[in-house]
Amino acid sequence: MAKRNLRRSDDPARPCPCGHGPAYRDCCGPMHQGVTSAATAEALMRSRFSAYAVGDTSYLLRTWHPATRPGRLTLDAQQRWTRLEILDTGRGGLFDTTGTVEFRAHYRDRGQPGMLHERSRFQRADGQWVYVDGTLSD
């Protein structure tokens, strides 16, 4: 497995960036390490946000649908993902094969606050949830 490029300390007891679990090691960390996989589209969305926050590009690529996955991914070292808001979900449950998650992802870029508002599409591929694509909103 490729080494993760963590932007924060390697303290596994730190709060999870996704805001859902109490500690990274008990929330998104096991998914990033390949120990567990996301049970729902929302869980995958949360784990992908956390991967952006900690700089885990290998996880992001691994959880991207093969048809839409870029050849490589480079994260901006000046951009810090700070907070995730889940606004809506459609399907994406334990027995679904597709789902959507609308969210707002907050960040700081070169000291300035910003926000990304997207409705993402997810699909099961080989039994695992993957990110397909998204539509940005204002």
Side-chain angles (χ1 to χ4, degrees):
M1 174 181 287
K3 184 178 184 221
R4 292 175 299 141
N5 178 23
L6 295 179
R7 290 187 174 155
R8 296 183 176 189
S9 74
D10 277 333
D11 177 9
R14 73 180 177 277
C16 192
C18 82
H20 195 311
Y24 174 75
R25 71 171 170 229
D26 300 322
C27 191
C28 292
M31 287 183 267
H32 293 174
Q33 296 165 4
V35 174
T36 62
S37 59
T40 65
E42 180 181 339
L44 182 64
M45 177 62 239
R46 289 181 176 283
S47 70
R48 286 178 56 82
F49 174 84
S50 289
Y52 276 102
V54 301
D56 192 344
T57 56
S58 63
Y59 180 78
L60 291 165
L61 291 169
R62 193 169 66 245
T63 58
W64 212 309
H65 193 282
T68 58
R69 177 176 43 225
R72 65 179 203 176
L73 181 63
T74 303
L75 301 180
D76 184 344
Q78 298 297 314
Q79 192 171 48
R80 301 283 188 240
W81 296 95
T82 58
R83 184 168 56 96
L84 177 66
E85 292 177 83
I86 301 295
L87 304 175
D88 188 33
T89 59
R91 303 186 53 89
L94 296 174
F95 303 108
D96 295 318
T97 56
T98 62
T100 59
V101 179
E102 182 179 2
F103 67 93
R104 283 190 197 113
H106 298 266
Y107 61 88
R108 293 194 69 77
D109 188 3
R110 291 159 185 80
Q112 299 300 312
M115 186 262 303
L116 173 81
H117 182 183
E118 180 176 306
R119 178 173 289 277
S120 296
R121 291 187 318 132
F122 297 89
Q123 181 179 352
R124 283 196 196 265
D126 297 325
Q128 304 295 311
W129 283 107
V130 291
Y131 170 78
V132 177
D133 58 21
T135 303
L136 296 174
S137 298
D138 291 333

